[in-house]
Amino acid sequence: MLRKMAKERGLEDAELDASPGEYEDGLQPTAEQWYQNGIKDADMKMGERY
């Protein structure tokens, strides 16, 4: 469905199959940091970290 809409708006197959780009490049480090913050918070609540 997304591919069909993109094609209707003028994107070429090469553009659709390209690397995910800046959005995902920025998203992964943010998700990793959120995960680490959650682990640290859980450890603190269980008394394993101070």
Side-chain angles (χ1 to χ4, degrees), residues 25-40:
D25 290 348
L27 185 62
Q28 188 168 353
T30 301
E32 174 69 20
Q33 185 60 51
W34 289 351
Y35 173 80
Q36 293 300 330
N37 289 345
I39 293 295
K40 181 179 178 184

Side-chain angles (χ1 to χ4, degrees), residues 8-30:
E8 288 174 359
R9 294 181 184 210
L11 272 84
E12 301 294 325
D13 284 329
E15 293 174 296
L16 293 173
D17 295 332
S19 173
E22 282 185 42
Y23 179 75
E24 285 80 3
D25 290 348
L27 185 62
Q28 188 168 353
T30 301

